[in-house]
Amino acid sequence: MVSFQCDFCGDVVKKPKLDQHRNRCHSTFTCIDCSTTFQDTSYKSHTSCISEAEKYQGALYKGKKGNKNNNNNGQNNNKNQQAQQQKKDTPASKPLSLVDELKKNKTQEPASGEKRKQEEEKDTKSNKKTKKDDKKWEETTLPNDISKSLELALRETLRTSKAPLSVKDARKKTIKLLTSHPKSKNKDKKELKEKFDEGLILNFSDDVITVKTA
């Protein structure tokens, strides 16, 4: 029979006499075997407890073989049921088909064909603009003075250039543009170079270098 110790006076009282003792001490009671403390009359539900062997042997206690096997089987069954229930609750992922996989790869990586198409369109626009500028230049009326023609060609070179030019590159492109004009195809490039260098005037003022044509 389960015995309890009164936490007020320290007496050990068997369960049938707990009510009478409680009316006297009005205290809590602690189970002698499992050391569980009970408030009020909650000790009434404590009908069985661990044995003396289980209490003092602790982890070395084995108990009856049959009970141990039953407990193990019950625990294993509970674990299996929980695992199965969890498996049911977890929605299974649908495998991707070959078409879906291709679509996924297509959205994740930009298509090389599309990129090449964009580059071709960009080059086409650039070529159209260049041809338009060339046609406009060919229709330009050049003055008879070579220096004035060089100045006009230089202005056109700087206008159509996509980046700043050095003096050497500006001279080269200007002479090439001028000799591409129908009225200047037979011009001597050496003479044009000399006229180009003579026609440029460098000026320094207020820490600023300016380039002018003569």
Side-chain angles (χ1 to χ4, degrees):
M1 182 177 292
V2 183
S3 298
F4 299 84
Q5 184 177 22
C6 177
D7 294 334
F8 179 74
C9 66
D11 291 346
V12 177
V13 185
K14 291 186 179 294
K15 187 176 180 181
K17 297 182 179 181
L18 278 179
D19 292 338
Q20 181 181 358
H21 192 92
R22 179 176 174 274
N23 292 332
R24 185 179 66 190
C25 290
H26 302 286
S27 175
T28 57
F29 298 93
T30 301
C31 178
I32 297 297
D33 294 329
C34 65
S35 300
T36 303
T37 301
F38 298 90
Q39 302 285 342
D40 297 330
T41 59
S42 59
Y43 52 78
K44 292 183 178 181
S45 60
H46 192 59
T47 57
S48 62
C49 195
I50 60 176
S51 64
E52 292 290 330
E54 188 176 357
K55 177 180 178 181
Y56 294 107
Q57 293 179 15
L60 299 177
Y61 176 76
K62 296 182 178 180
K64 294 183 179 180
K65 186 175 181 181
N67 292 336
K68 183 177 180 181
N69 291 335
N70 290 335
N71 291 334
N72 290 337
N73 291 335
Q75 292 176 357
N76 291 334
N77 290 334
N78 290 334
K79 290 181 180 179
N80 292 334
Q81 290 177 0
Q82 291 177 359
Q84 291 176 1
Q85 185 64 32
Q86 185 176 3
K87 187 176 181 180
K88 290 181 181 179
D89 295 339
T90 304
S93 56
K94 184 179 178 181
L96 291 176
S97 63
L98 180 60
V99 177
D100 293 336
E101 189 70 25
L102 292 175
K103 288 181 179 179
K104 182 179 179 182
N105 294 335
K106 187 176 181 180
T107 55
Q108 290 179 350
E109 299 180 1
S112 58
E114 184 68 21
K115 186 176 180 180
R116 184 165 56 251
K117 184 178 179 181
Q118 293 177 356
E119 293 177 352
E120 290 176 354
E121 291 177 353
K122 186 177 180 180
D123 293 340
T124 302
K125 291 180 180 180
S126 179
N127 292 334
K128 286 183 179 180
K129 186 177 183 303
T130 302
K131 289 180 180 180
K132 185 177 179 180
D133 292 337
D134 292 343
K135 185 177 180 181
K136 184 179 179 180
W137 169 251
E138 290 175 0
E139 295 173 354
T140 302
T141 302
L142 297 179
N144 294 328
D145 191 321
I146 296 178
S147 298
K148 295 294 183 182
S149 297
L150 280 170
E151 180 182 353
L152 195 63
L154 177 60
R155 291 179 181 274
E156 181 66 16
T157 299
L158 296 177
R159 185 185 70 82
T160 57
S161 178
K162 297 179 181 180
L165 298 173
S166 64
V167 176
K168 180 179 179 181
D169 291 338
R171 181 179 62 184
K172 182 178 179 181
K173 289 180 178 293
T174 299
I175 294 175
K176 182 179 179 181
L177 180 63
L178 185 60
T179 53
S180 68
H181 195 281
K183 294 183 180 180
S184 301
K185 288 184 177 181
N186 298 325
K187 296 288 184 180
D188 184 20
K189 292 184 178 181
K190 184 177 180 180
E191 181 184 0
L192 292 176
K193 288 181 181 180
E194 293 177 354
K195 290 290 183 180
F196 183 91
D197 293 339
E198 292 174 359
L200 289 182
I201 300 175
L202 302 179
N203 184 37
F204 180 77
S205 178
D206 297 330
D207 291 334
V208 178
I209 298 176
T210 56
V211 181
K212 296 182 180 180
T213 55

PDB file of all heavy atoms in Angstrom, residues 57-76:
ATOM      1  N   GLN A  57      17.396   0.692  -7.243  1.00  0.00           N
ATOM      2  CA  GLN A  57      18.322   0.207  -8.278  1.00  0.00           C
ATOM      3  C   GLN A  57      18.437   1.188  -9.451  1.00  0.00           C
ATOM      4  O   GLN A  57      19.409   1.155 -10.193  1.00  0.00           O
ATOM      5  CB  GLN A  57      17.877  -1.167  -8.779  1.00  0.00           C
ATOM      6  CG  GLN A  57      17.996  -2.261  -7.715  1.00  0.00           C
ATOM      7  CD  GLN A  57      17.530  -3.603  -8.226  1.00  0.00           C
ATOM      8  OE1 GLN A  57      17.376  -3.779  -9.428  1.00  0.00           O
ATOM      9  NE2 GLN A  57      17.294  -4.543  -7.316  1.00  0.00           N
ATOM     10  N   GLY A  58      17.466   2.046  -9.613  1.00  0.00           N
ATOM     11  CA  GLY A  58      17.529   3.075 -10.657  1.00  0.00           C
ATOM     12  C   GLY A  58      17.647   2.493 -12.051  1.00  0.00           C
ATOM     13  O   GLY A  58      16.836   1.672 -12.473  1.00  0.00           O
ATOM     14  N   ALA A  59      18.714   2.895 -12.793  1.00  0.00           N
ATOM     15  CA  ALA A  59      18.893   2.448 -14.172  1.00  0.00           C
ATOM     16  C   ALA A  59      19.220   0.971 -14.262  1.00  0.00           C
ATOM     17  O   ALA A  59      19.055   0.354 -15.320  1.00  0.00           O
ATOM     18  CB  ALA A  59      20.016   3.268 -14.827  1.00  0.00           C
ATOM     19  N   LEU A  60      19.678   0.355 -13.142  1.00  0.00           N
ATOM     20  CA  LEU A  60      20.004  -1.066 -13.149  1.00  0.00           C
ATOM     21  C   LEU A  60      18.765  -1.942 -13.050  1.00  0.00           C
ATOM     22  O   LEU A  60      18.841  -3.143 -13.284  1.00  0.00           O
ATOM     23  CB  LEU A  60      20.955  -1.382 -11.982  1.00  0.00           C
ATOM     24  CG  LEU A  60      22.310  -0.658 -12.015  1.00  0.00           C
ATOM     25  CD1 LEU A  60      23.100  -1.009 -10.766  1.00  0.00           C
ATOM     26  CD2 LEU A  60      23.082  -1.024 -13.273  1.00  0.00           C
ATOM     27  N   TYR A  61      17.623  -1.341 -12.718  1.00  0.00           N
ATOM     28  CA  TYR A  61      16.400  -2.122 -12.547  1.00  0.00           C
ATOM     29  C   TYR A  61      15.908  -2.610 -13.911  1.00  0.00           C
ATOM     30  O   TYR A  61      15.804  -1.850 -14.874  1.00  0.00           O
ATOM     31  CB  TYR A  61      15.317  -1.267 -11.887  1.00  0.00           C
ATOM     32  CG  TYR A  61      13.980  -1.981 -11.756  1.00  0.00           C
ATOM     33  CD1 TYR A  61      13.809  -2.951 -10.759  1.00  0.00           C
ATOM     34  CD2 TYR A  61      12.940  -1.692 -12.618  1.00  0.00           C
ATOM     35  CE1 TYR A  61      12.594  -3.605 -10.643  1.00  0.00           C
ATOM     36  CE2 TYR A  61      11.733  -2.349 -12.502  1.00  0.00           C
ATOM     37  CZ  TYR A  61      11.557  -3.309 -11.499  1.00  0.00           C
ATOM     38  OH  TYR A  61      10.359  -3.952 -11.384  1.00  0.00           O
ATOM     39  N   LYS A  62      15.625  -3.905 -14.008  1.00  0.00           N
ATOM     40  CA  LYS A  62      15.172  -4.505 -15.260  1.00  0.00           C
ATOM     41  C   LYS A  62      13.700  -4.880 -15.224  1.00  0.00           C
ATOM     42  O   LYS A  62      13.032  -4.888 -16.235  1.00  0.00           O
ATOM     43  CB  LYS A  62      16.012  -5.745 -15.582  1.00  0.00           C
ATOM     44  CG  LYS A  62      17.485  -5.425 -15.838  1.00  0.00           C
ATOM     45  CD  LYS A  62      18.248  -6.672 -16.197  1.00  0.00           C
ATOM     46  CE  LYS A  62      19.705  -6.347 -16.497  1.00  0.00           C
ATOM     47  NZ  LYS A  62      20.480  -7.559 -16.850  1.00  0.00           N
ATOM     48  N   GLY A  63      13.198  -5.215 -14.054  1.00  0.00           N
ATOM     49  CA  GLY A  63      11.788  -5.601 -13.961  1.00  0.00           C
ATOM     50  C   GLY A  63      11.529  -6.933 -14.610  1.00  0.00           C
ATOM     51  O   GLY A  63      12.438  -7.690 -14.957  1.00  0.00           O
ATOM     52  N   LYS A  64      10.286  -7.259 -14.808  1.00  0.00           N
ATOM     53  CA  LYS A  64       9.922  -8.527 -15.450  1.00  0.00           C
ATOM     54  C   LYS A  64      10.119  -8.442 -16.943  1.00  0.00           C
ATOM     55  O   LYS A  64       9.825  -7.420 -17.566  1.00  0.00           O
ATOM     56  CB  LYS A  64       8.470  -8.876 -15.130  1.00  0.00           C
ATOM     57  CG  LYS A  64       8.241  -9.164 -13.641  1.00  0.00           C
ATOM     58  CD  LYS A  64       6.807  -9.564 -13.411  1.00  0.00           C
ATOM     59  CE  LYS A  64       6.561  -9.870 -11.932  1.00  0.00           C
ATOM     60  NZ  LYS A  64       5.177 -10.274 -11.665  1.00  0.00           N
ATOM     61  N   LYS A  65      10.628  -9.527 -17.484  1.00  0.00           N
ATOM     62  CA  LYS A  65      10.950  -9.572 -18.886  1.00  0.00           C
ATOM     63  C   LYS A  65       9.729  -9.319 -19.758  1.00  0.00           C
ATOM     64  O   LYS A  65       9.762  -8.611 -20.741  1.00  0.00           O
ATOM     65  CB  LYS A  65      11.591 -10.921 -19.230  1.00  0.00           C
ATOM     66  CG  LYS A  65      12.098 -11.004 -20.668  1.00  0.00           C
ATOM     67  CD  LYS A  65      12.816 -12.303 -20.899  1.00  0.00           C
ATOM     68  CE  LYS A  65      13.333 -12.384 -22.323  1.00  0.00           C
ATOM     69  NZ  LYS A  65      14.031 -13.652 -22.583  1.00  0.00           N
ATOM     70  N   GLY A  66       8.625  -9.916 -19.347  1.00  0.00           N
ATOM     71  CA  GLY A  66       7.402  -9.772 -20.138  1.00  0.00           C
ATOM     72  C   GLY A  66       6.937  -8.334 -20.185  1.00  0.00           C
ATOM     73  O   GLY A  66       6.548  -7.815 -21.223  1.00  0.00           O
ATOM     74  N   ASN A  67       6.991  -7.634 -19.043  1.00  0.00           N
ATOM     75  CA  ASN A  67       6.536  -6.253 -19.004  1.00  0.00           C
ATOM     76  C   ASN A  67       7.424  -5.358 -19.859  1.00  0.00           C
ATOM     77  O   ASN A  67       6.972  -4.442 -20.529  1.00  0.00           O
ATOM     78  CB  ASN A  67       6.522  -5.752 -17.557  1.00  0.00           C
ATOM     79  CG  ASN A  67       5.451  -6.450 -16.733  1.00  0.00           C
ATOM     80  OD1 ASN A  67       4.471  -6.944 -17.292  1.00  0.00           O
ATOM     81  ND2 ASN A  67       5.628  -6.508 -15.427  1.00  0.00           N
ATOM     82  N   LYS A  68       8.751  -5.646 -19.781  1.00  0.00           N
ATOM     83  CA  LYS A  68       9.685  -4.836 -20.549  1.00  0.00           C
ATOM     84  C   LYS A  68       9.444  -4.989 -22.046  1.00  0.00           C
ATOM     85  O   LYS A  68       9.424  -4.021 -22.796  1.00  0.00           O
ATOM     86  CB  LYS A  68      11.114  -5.247 -20.207  1.00  0.00           C
ATOM     87  CG  LYS A  68      12.156  -4.393 -20.922  1.00  0.00           C
ATOM     88  CD  LYS A  68      13.542  -4.792 -20.500  1.00  0.00           C
ATOM     89  CE  LYS A  68      14.578  -3.936 -21.211  1.00  0.00           C
ATOM     90  NZ  LYS A  68      15.944  -4.313 -20.840  1.00  0.00           N
ATOM     91  N   ASN A  69       9.221  -6.228 -22.475  1.00  0.00           N
ATOM     92  CA  ASN A  69       8.964  -6.456 -23.890  1.00  0.00           C
ATOM     93  C   ASN A  69       7.676  -5.782 -24.327  1.00  0.00           C
ATOM     94  O   ASN A  69       7.586  -5.209 -25.412  1.00  0.00           O
ATOM     95  CB  ASN A  69       8.889  -7.963 -24.179  1.00  0.00           C
ATOM     96  CG  ASN A  69      10.265  -8.620 -24.027  1.00  0.00           C
ATOM     97  OD1 ASN A  69      11.289  -7.949 -24.167  1.00  0.00           O
ATOM     98  ND2 ASN A  69      10.285  -9.920 -23.741  1.00  0.00           N
ATOM     99  N   ASN A  70       6.668  -5.860 -23.467  1.00  0.00           N
ATOM    100  CA  ASN A  70       5.392  -5.236 -23.799  1.00  0.00           C
ATOM    101  C   ASN A  70       5.543  -3.726 -23.916  1.00  0.00           C
ATOM    102  O   ASN A  70       4.976  -3.089 -24.809  1.00  0.00           O
ATOM    103  CB  ASN A  70       4.342  -5.574 -22.733  1.00  0.00           C
ATOM    104  CG  ASN A  70       3.946  -7.052 -22.788  1.00  0.00           C
ATOM    105  OD1 ASN A  70       4.073  -7.683 -23.837  1.00  0.00           O
ATOM    106  ND2 ASN A  70       3.481  -7.588 -21.670  1.00  0.00           N
ATOM    107  N   ASN A  71       6.327  -3.154 -22.990  1.00  0.00           N
ATOM    108  CA  ASN A  71       6.537  -1.714 -23.040  1.00  0.00           C
ATOM    109  C   ASN A  71       7.285  -1.296 -24.300  1.00  0.00           C
ATOM    110  O   ASN A  71       6.950  -0.311 -24.951  1.00  0.00           O
ATOM    111  CB  ASN A  71       7.320  -1.243 -21.807  1.00  0.00           C
ATOM    112  CG  ASN A  71       6.489  -1.364 -20.532  1.00  0.00           C
ATOM    113  OD1 ASN A  71       5.255  -1.330 -20.598  1.00  0.00           O
ATOM    114  ND2 ASN A  71       7.158  -1.505 -19.387  1.00  0.00           N
ATOM    115  N   ASN A  72       8.331  -2.090 -24.626  1.00  0.00           N
ATOM    116  CA  ASN A  72       9.104  -1.792 -25.823  1.00  0.00           C
ATOM    117  C   ASN A  72       8.254  -1.901 -27.078  1.00  0.00           C
ATOM    118  O   ASN A  72       8.337  -1.082 -27.996  1.00  0.00           O
ATOM    119  CB  ASN A  72      10.312  -2.722 -25.944  1.00  0.00           C
ATOM    120  CG  ASN A  72      11.357  -2.416 -24.872  1.00  0.00           C
ATOM    121  OD1 ASN A  72      11.404  -1.315 -24.349  1.00  0.00           O
ATOM    122  ND2 ASN A  72      12.188  -3.405 -24.543  1.00  0.00           N
ATOM    123  N   ASN A  73       7.428  -2.965 -27.114  1.00  0.00           N
ATOM    124  CA  ASN A  73       6.556  -3.143 -28.271  1.00  0.00           C
ATOM    125  C   ASN A  73       5.563  -1.996 -28.393  1.00  0.00           C
ATOM    126  O   ASN A  73       5.267  -1.511 -29.489  1.00  0.00           O
ATOM    127  CB  ASN A  73       5.801  -4.478 -28.157  1.00  0.00           C
ATOM    128  CG  ASN A  73       6.740  -5.666 -28.323  1.00  0.00           C
ATOM    129  OD1 ASN A  73       7.800  -5.544 -28.960  1.00  0.00           O
ATOM    130  ND2 ASN A  73       6.375  -6.813 -27.750  1.00  0.00           N
ATOM    131  N   GLY A  74       5.050  -1.570 -27.246  1.00  0.00           N
ATOM    132  CA  GLY A  74       4.096  -0.467 -27.272  1.00  0.00           C
ATOM    133  C   GLY A  74       4.742   0.830 -27.750  1.00  0.00           C
ATOM    134  O   GLY A  74       4.163   1.577 -28.536  1.00  0.00           O
ATOM    135  N   GLN A  75       5.977   1.066 -27.276  1.00  0.00           N
ATOM    136  CA  GLN A  75       6.683   2.267 -27.708  1.00  0.00           C
ATOM    137  C   GLN A  75       6.993   2.229 -29.200  1.00  0.00           C
ATOM    138  O   GLN A  75       6.854   3.223 -29.909  1.00  0.00           O
ATOM    139  CB  GLN A  75       7.973   2.426 -26.909  1.00  0.00           C
ATOM    140  CG  GLN A  75       7.740   2.744 -25.430  1.00  0.00           C
ATOM    141  CD  GLN A  75       9.049   2.807 -24.654  1.00  0.00           C
ATOM    142  OE1 GLN A  75      10.114   2.568 -25.209  1.00  0.00           O
ATOM    143  NE2 GLN A  75       8.943   3.109 -23.357  1.00  0.00           N
ATOM    144  N   ASN A  76       7.414   1.047 -29.678  1.00  0.00           N
ATOM    145  CA  ASN A  76       7.711   0.919 -31.101  1.00  0.00           C
ATOM    146  C   ASN A  76       6.468   1.128 -31.953  1.00  0.00           C
ATOM    147  O   ASN A  76       6.514   1.758 -33.021  1.00  0.00           O
ATOM    148  CB  ASN A  76       8.309  -0.463 -31.392  1.00  0.00           C
ATOM    149  CG  ASN A  76       9.703  -0.615 -30.787  1.00  0.00           C
ATOM    150  OD1 ASN A  76      10.407   0.372 -30.584  1.00  0.00           O
ATOM    151  ND2 ASN A  76      10.094  -1.848 -30.483  1.00  0.00           N
TER     152      ASN A  76
END
